[in-house]
Amino acid sequence: MRKLRVGVIFGGRSGEHEVSLMSAQNIIAALDREKYEVIPIGITRDGQWIASGDPLRALLEGNPRLAAPAAFLPQPGAPALVPLAPLGDAEHPEPEQAPPQAPATGQPGPFREPERGGQPQSLSGAGLGDIDVFFPVLHGPYGEDGTIQGLLELAGVPYVGAGVAASAVGMDKALMKAVFRAAGLPVVDHLVVTAHQWRTQADLVRSRIQEQLGFPCFVKPANLGSSVGVSRVAKPAELDEALALALRYDLKVLVERAALGCREVEVSVLGNEEPQASIPGEIVPAAEFYDYRSKYFDDRSELIIPARISDAAAARVRALAIAAFQAIDGAGLARVDFFVHKETEEIWVNEINTMPGFTRISMYPKLWEASGLPYPQLIDRLIELALERHAQRSRLETRPPVEIRDPANDAPAPPGAG
């Protein structure tokens, strides 16, 4: 039985490009070469796909010439989509082999360093059509928002993580909050401001924020993560600058009341139909809030596992994490973030991330490690879940239950009729 071929997709056009590269580095290093062939697939900042040579190094060094453009997708300016198909040697095809099976994760054991034997393959050695499962390690727009998921659905291939709808809702903070409220989940008071509203009704926007939310408040791009473009606004004079910054990244922003006196608590979720929640962890940012620098560059930020909350509050946030995951129809993985008041332990759901940061210091894998599932086994399980979900979806009918017929001549109606 041949190894499972895993296509790891990374980079992308969003403001979280660098975070994606860091996550991909860790995942590629941790994938066990005894089980997997790793096919790295990079996407540059301008949307160029590169899939041979050394795509990860090419993007890390900012030199796409270290890898060749992929033949299976259009490059910027190209007129048409090339069908997904094997790119191997057609005159000397590989012998037919038994379909690969997902590896068994086994029982959680002590943490170990990732297997590093061998180098990742490239599409010069394995065609795209030969890849068994894709791991889209893309954060933010054009990757975590349902776009890459839609492409992979159209191609009919398995992939790790949430589907199109869940990814889109999980990415858009305004839609996410609306879904959470509809599901009865507690959320902090907030307003949605569009670029058009700010451009044409700035005074009205300012007054609504001051009257309905007050200060301090947070201003966030609706469709971005890793705290890119987020500002804490302590007084009215700072509001214009914060909105201008957020609107550099999105046409819609979320303005949210600050959750004062609260702990920032996070829970990792894993599974499909029967998701499980990790033990909760707590973020103590080095800065005034958990901004981009605090998350990835400032080692003074603290990750406290388990979170400093009561057992009752811990059980509640775990239950709410699963409820939030199911509210958006999540699959595979997600990290759900909360505010927990330090005195009353009142809880609010902040947001869900359907493709959270996946570096070794990221909260998602660290929470599972603390819950008994080490990093390499966590990746194994995500691949299993992707294959399971794809197998279930592949059994769904795609044709109508009865043939549509033209009543005029009792013949089958032409395609598109009716």
Side-chain angles (χ1 to χ4, degrees):
M1 186 181 295
R2 68 172 173 84
K3 298 176 184 178
L4 202 70
R5 287 179 176 148
V6 181
V8 182
I9 308 175
F10 48 83
R13 295 169 54 194
S14 87
E16 296 180 80
H17 181 95
E18 289 87 359
V19 182
S20 172
L21 299 184
M22 288 189 283
S23 294
Q25 271 187 298
N26 285 264
I27 289 171
I28 289 172
L31 282 162
D32 188 343
R33 298 307 193 273
E34 295 297 317
K35 302 175 184 175
Y36 307 110
E37 289 184 31
V38 183
I39 315 297
I41 303 169
I43 305 175
T44 66
R45 289 184 177 280
D46 63 359
Q48 179 182 359
W49 289 62
I50 51 179
S52 63
D54 193 341
L56 184 56
R57 181 182 164 211
L59 296 187
L60 285 168
E61 297 182 7
N63 183 8
R65 288 177 295 180
L66 294 171
F72 57 89
L73 283 172
Q75 304 308 315
L81 180 67
V82 179
L84 296 169
L87 304 179
D89 186 345
E91 295 183 4
H92 301 89
E94 292 186 11
E96 192 168 323
Q97 297 168 308
Q101 302 296 319
T105 55
Q107 294 299 316
F111 177 79
R112 63 182 177 84
E113 286 297 317
E115 298 288 341
R116 298 178 182 272
Q119 294 297 318
Q121 303 295 313
S122 72
L123 284 183
S124 60
L128 184 70
D130 294 325
I131 294 177
D132 300 303
V133 59
F134 288 83
F135 201 138
V137 193
L138 298 166
H139 307 305
Y142 311 109
E144 193 180 347
D145 59 352
T147 49
I148 189 72
Q149 291 78 13
L151 176 65
L152 297 173
E153 289 283 355
L154 285 171
V157 294
Y159 60 91
V160 170
V164 176
S167 298
V169 172
M171 186 79 258
D172 189 314
K173 293 179 177 63
L175 293 177
M176 177 202 307
K177 299 282 187 181
V179 170
F180 286 169
R181 273 186 167 167
L185 303 180
V187 295
V188 174
D189 292 340
H190 60 276
L191 292 171
V192 178
V193 179
T194 67
H196 177 75
Q197 289 170 335
W198 180 238
R199 188 170 58 249
T200 60
Q201 306 173 50
D203 288 341
L204 177 60
V205 169
R206 293 187 192 99
S207 63
R208 286 181 62 208
I209 292 171
Q210 180 143 6
E211 292 168 8
Q212 298 181 36
L213 302 179
F215 299 93
C217 63
F218 283 88
V219 178
K220 312 174 181 181
N223 291 275
L224 207 56
S226 293
S227 298
V228 175
V230 175
S231 302
R232 184 182 189 275
V233 180
K235 52 189 177 182
E238 299 171 355
L239 184 60
D240 286 21
E241 184 178 353
L243 284 164
L245 174 63
L247 289 169
R248 285 170 51 188
Y249 295 97
D250 200 354
L251 295 176
K252 180 170 61 178
V253 302
L254 189 81
V255 185
E256 191 171 56
R257 186 195 304 274
L260 300 176
C262 289
R263 302 186 191 278
E264 296 188 40
V265 174
E266 300 184 349
V267 176
S268 296
V269 180
L270 177 68
N272 289 336
E273 290 87 356
E274 298 180 357
Q276 296 177 308
S278 72
I279 64 174
E282 180 181 348
I283 301 292
V284 182
E288 193 171 26
F289 70 98
Y290 202 35
D291 60 8
Y292 185 84
R293 179 167 294 278
S294 298
K295 287 182 176 180
Y296 300 107
F297 300 103
D298 194 334
D299 58 11
R300 295 176 301 156
S301 294
E302 294 182 71
L303 307 181
I304 300 174
I305 305 173
R308 297 171 296 179
I309 56 179
S310 69
D311 290 345
R316 177 69 174 148
V317 295
R318 293 179 73 184
L320 285 171
I322 291 174
F325 185 82
Q326 293 175 326
I328 69 163
D329 193 26
L333 75 160
R335 193 194 71 235
V336 186
D337 303 344
F338 298 88
F339 299 120
V340 181
H341 197 275
K342 293 179 181 178
E343 295 181 3
T344 66
E345 291 201 322
E346 186 175 0
I347 298 168
W348 295 270
V349 182
N350 181 21
E351 62 183 42
I352 188 169
N353 294 270
T354 56
M355 186 54 70
F358 225 102
T359 70
R360 283 207 174 266
I361 64 170
S362 296
M363 190 61 115
Y364 183 85
K366 286 181 75 69
L367 287 174
W368 278 118
E369 183 182 339
S371 300
L373 188 63
Y375 192 95
Q377 293 180 22
L378 173 60
I379 294 173
D380 285 345
R381 182 61 185 143
L382 288 169
I383 290 171
E384 288 178 1
L385 290 167
L387 294 171
E388 288 172 8
R389 183 170 180 270
H390 179 72
Q392 291 171 343
R393 291 177 63 83
S394 296
R395 290 193 289 268
L396 297 175
E397 294 287 344
T398 58
R399 296 173 180 270
V402 295
E403 188 176 39
I404 300 174
R405 306 186 74 84
D406 184 348
N409 56 15
D410 200 32

